[in-house]
Amino acid sequence: MGQRMGMALVGLGAASQPHLRSLQDLAERIDLRYAVTRHPHPDRIRPYTGPVRVISALDEALRDPQVQAVIVATPPATHLAICQQCFAAGKHVLLEKPLELDQQRSAQLVEAAQQSGLHLGVVLQHRFREASVVLQQLITQGRLGEVQAASVRVPWWRSQAYYNELGRGTLARDGGGVLLTQAIHTLNLFQALVGVQSVKAATVRQTRLHQMETEDHVSALLVLGNGAPGDLMATTAMYPGYPETIEVIGTLGSARLSGASLEVNFLTQETLTVTSEGGTGSGANMMDFSHQPHKDLLTDFIDAIASNRPPRVTGADALSTHALIDELLRMGSSPL
């Protein structure tokens, strides 16, 4: 076993749980030395059983020369300042989505990483699901032929109680609604699979199911990377919540990715399936999903640092998804 990479985790909210489980699984490679939180949550550190110091000041962790990287799992409004602090201290950063509240602050964050020469990875873990990886390979290898059309649907559910929590669905803390907070994972994967050139038309609204500051339903017509048509629907108003779905029509077959499961039907009558058990966080229990993709993403991140290559999901990659979300919101707010 080689030398373990020292890490600190900032934030012990719900988003920290799959990270802690992943860190536990990767304990032979990663030494979690600190958990940084302003409000101690003793129960939330339990998925990690190794020795870890729970502290309130990030500076203490950044002064530790054995800490090489920091996982930032705090609300979006805090990301820029925390990442700038980490980069100034010479630490790599693995950042929970989204990058920041808006495109300008997100671009600042990515620029800060580029200027520092340090690694910035972004937690968009759907790219690491086995079914997603297989579909990406099929498209890249041309086994589906030329893409003729594709659609993406995120029919999720969040109760009003979710939005009643302080800051949920607000511009000041979250930066947006269903697109930036929930659908960003699937949108990033959709872009990686088929590309999105532009948004032709969009409708953005708040349904009567929620009282909130931002949008909970978006539908749109898209132009894909090769000019083919695409469509999108994302919501947190579809009770009780269903798995997110990407469908791709190619000249040699069609594919349907539903949550973490894939079904492919080729014109040759050949079929291919990848199945996965467990939820996707689409319903009332937003943490109902496997932490395996987080573990794979974390492994890719530390491998990227060790071999001095970019991680699979970079800051620039995530920034392109932010740009798509901005375009959807802009088009959706324009009069027809």
Side-chain angles (χ1 to χ4, degrees), residues 57-204:
L58 177 58
D59 284 343
E60 183 177 348
L62 297 182
R63 287 194 298 266
D64 186 342
Q66 295 189 56
V67 172
Q68 295 176 254
V70 178
I71 300 174
V72 179
T74 57
T78 66
H79 288 179
L80 178 58
I82 291 175
C83 289
Q84 287 175 328
Q85 192 177 355
C86 292
F87 295 140
K91 313 298 184 183
H92 306 285
V93 173
L94 180 60
L95 179 64
E96 263 293 344
K97 60 79 188 170
L99 290 170
E100 248 286 354
L101 291 179
D102 55 41
Q103 187 78 357
Q104 181 179 1
R105 289 175 63 85
S106 297
Q108 280 183 261
L109 195 157
V110 173
E111 177 65 20
Q114 292 172 343
Q115 290 183 352
S116 73
L118 296 160
H119 286 75
L120 170 64
V122 186
V123 183
L124 290 164
Q125 73 274 5
H126 288 195
R127 297 271 292 278
F128 290 82
R129 288 172 169 171
E130 180 187 1
S132 301
V133 173
V134 170
L135 180 55
Q136 180 78 77
Q137 291 171 343
L138 292 175
I139 294 173
T140 301
Q141 294 167 1
R143 292 191 59 193
L144 283 179
E146 183 182 357
V147 173
Q148 300 298 289
S151 64
V152 54
R153 289 175 55 83
V154 185
W156 281 19
W157 167 254
R158 292 292 184 264
S159 68
Q160 183 59 44
Y162 170 87
Y163 290 109
N164 288 343
E165 291 186 25
L166 186 63
R168 290 285 191 192
T170 66
L171 294 172
R173 196 200 82 150
D174 286 352
V178 61
L179 291 177
L180 197 61
T181 305
Q182 284 85 24
I184 186 171
H185 289 288
T186 311
L187 294 181
N188 178 263
L189 174 59
F190 189 72
Q191 283 181 301
L193 292 171
V194 297
V196 178
Q197 277 190 33
S198 62
V199 179
K200 296 294 289 183
T203 301
V204 176

Side-chain angles (χ1 to χ4, degrees), residues 225-283:
N226 67 350
D231 60 86
L232 170 152
M233 190 284 288
T235 187
T236 52
M238 181 78 83
Y239 180 80
Y242 301 92
E244 61 280 2
T245 302
I246 292 175
E247 295 177 323
V248 181
I249 299 173
T251 53
L252 299 179
S254 298
R256 187 174 192 271
L257 182 66
S258 180
S261 297
L262 173 67
E263 180 182 350
V264 185
N265 291 279
F266 299 96
L267 269 61
T268 59
Q269 308 302 310
E270 178 189 1
T271 62
L272 184 154
T273 60
V274 177
T275 59
S276 177
E277 296 181 359
T280 65
S282 61

